[in-house]
């Protein structure tokens, strides 16, 4: 049985403005105010509106680039939470596009390519685990704080070594316009007791593995549409 018990306590969900109409309608049906993030010209076109590239949310505050904030003051003011601004280097070319692309656990363990991670994020970490994958957040679906799904073998090993239950799945079946493939983190968002996917997760080759893992951790799976699983940059629930 699906449980929507936590959904209606959350006001906003921030997501890229290329989200499909079907997925947006599904999020609206949960009672959310869907806030579609505009593009930022410091990032490559196809990911320039992706939440996992534009912002970092630590559960209390949003960290974003001051240039992006200046372009979207009204949007950020509407969220009613603290916004922390970074003036650090951010460019279209990798790895200078991964300023906010990191995974920080509640215990303060930070997984990132730390040389290029914002100092504002690193200050919140108690321990930093250096990984090769720069798109750490993109590559990770956080079922819970101790259960991660990833498409990156290096991250998979790092998570297991830190005691985080993890599974490694294929990235070949995830659409990301402009690229050969997308990421599982960018194709998903956790809403209360639901692990939601931007598209039909049942059409994904590793659906069975994901389903068993999600149920193991007492959550359910929900497809936001009947479309192909698509990386939209994930979403941030605030």
């Amino acid at each position: 049985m699906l449980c929507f018990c936590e959904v209606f306590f959350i006001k906003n969900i921030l997501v890229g403005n290329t989200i499909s109409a079907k997925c947006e309608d599904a999020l609206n049906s949960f009672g959310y105010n869907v806030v579609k993030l505009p593009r930022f010209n410091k990032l490559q076109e196809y990911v320039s509106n992706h939440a996992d590239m534009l912002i970092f949310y630590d559960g209390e505050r949003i960290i974003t680039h001051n240039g992006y904030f200046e372009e979207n003051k009204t949007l950020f003011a509407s969220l009613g939470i603290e916004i922390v601004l970074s003036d650090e280097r951010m460019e279209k070319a990798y790895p200078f596009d991964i300023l906010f692309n990191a995974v920080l656990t509640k215990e303060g363990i930070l997984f990132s390519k730390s040389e290029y991670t914002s100092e504002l994020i690193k200050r919140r970490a108690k321990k930093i685990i250096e990984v090769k994958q720069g798109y750490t957040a993109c590559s990770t679906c956080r079922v819970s704080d101790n259960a991660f799904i990833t498409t990156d073998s290096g991250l998979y090993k790092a998570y297991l070594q830190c005691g985080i239950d993890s599974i490694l799945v294929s990235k070949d079946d995830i659409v990301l316009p402009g690229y050969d493939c997308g990421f599982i983190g960018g194709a998903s968002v956790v809403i209360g007791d639901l692990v939601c996917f931007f598209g039909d997760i049942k059409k994904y080759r590793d659906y069975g593995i994901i389903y068993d893992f999600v149920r193991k951790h007492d959550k359910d799976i929900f497809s936001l549409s009947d479309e192909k699983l698509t990386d939209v940059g994930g979403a941030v629930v605030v």
Side-chain angles (χ1 to χ4, degrees):
M1 179 181 296
L2 298 181
C3 175
F4 299 88
C5 55
E6 295 182 31
V7 169
F8 296 100
F9 291 97
I10 303 170
K11 181 181 178 182
N12 297 303
I13 183 163
L14 282 61
V15 65
N17 62 16
T18 56
I19 182 177
S20 74
K22 289 182 178 180
C23 289
E24 183 179 357
D25 288 345
L27 293 175
N28 279 324
S29 72
F30 289 171
Y32 278 107
N33 174 35
V34 177
V35 179
K36 292 193 282 187
L37 295 169
R39 297 185 184 277
F40 188 36
N41 63 10
K42 284 187 176 292
L43 295 172
Q44 291 285 348
E45 178 183 357
Y46 293 105
V47 298
S48 61
N49 62 84
H50 281 200
D52 51 22
M53 300 289 286
L54 289 166
I55 59 179
F56 181 90
Y57 181 57
D58 66 2
E60 297 180 357
R61 61 191 66 81
I62 283 177
I63 301 172
T64 192
H65 194 274
N66 59 357
Y68 190 62
F69 175 82
E70 288 297 322
E71 292 177 8
N72 301 283
K73 285 184 177 180
T74 301
L75 183 155
F76 285 108
S78 72
L79 302 178
I81 64 172
E82 181 183 358
I83 310 295
V84 181
L85 302 181
S86 164
D87 61 359
E88 296 160 291
R89 182 179 180 182
M90 191 179 203
E91 296 179 4
K92 293 180 180 180
Y94 178 84
F96 298 105
D97 59 344
I98 60 172
L99 191 61
F100 307 120
N101 214 301
V103 170
L104 180 65
T105 70
K106 290 181 180 178
E107 287 75 25
I109 303 175
L110 177 66
F111 298 88
S112 77
K113 197 175 184 70
S114 64
E115 180 182 352
Y116 304 98
T117 302
S118 172
E119 291 296 327
L120 298 173
I121 298 174
K122 288 190 281 190
R123 289 174 194 168
R124 288 162 169 75
K126 296 179 181 177
K127 181 179 182 181
I128 297 177
I129 305 297
E130 187 71 30
V131 295
K132 292 182 179 180
Q133 175 57 264
Y135 299 110
T136 313
C138 300
S139 302
T140 306
C141 171
R142 297 174 63 164
V143 175
S144 73
D145 208 51
N146 291 298
F148 294 175
I149 303 169
T150 183
T151 48
D152 184 86
S153 59
L155 287 177
Y156 171 66
K157 293 175 183 177
Y159 293 151
L160 290 179
Q161 289 171 356
C162 289
I164 298 171
D165 193 12
S166 302
I167 56 172
L168 179 65
V169 298
S170 172
K171 61 183 178 181
D172 297 332
D173 232 12
I174 303 171
V175 175
L176 176 55
Y179 298 89
D180 293 336
C181 59
F183 298 92
I184 194 68
S188 60
V189 59
V190 177
I191 301 174
D193 291 331
L194 293 179
V195 182
C196 299
F197 292 90
F198 294 97
D200 188 350
I201 188 62
K202 291 182 179 179
K203 296 177 180 178
Y204 179 60
R205 68 180 63 182
D206 289 331
Y207 164 69
I209 300 171
I210 290 177
Y211 176 83
D212 290 342
F213 185 75
V214 169
R215 292 300 300 130
K216 173 185 174 182
H217 290 279
D218 299 319
K219 295 200 175 185
D220 284 298
I221 280 180
F222 188 81
S223 295
L224 293 169
S225 77
D226 58 0
E227 300 157 312
K228 182 81 171 178
L229 192 64
T230 302
D231 181 345
V232 300
V236 174
V237 179
V238 297

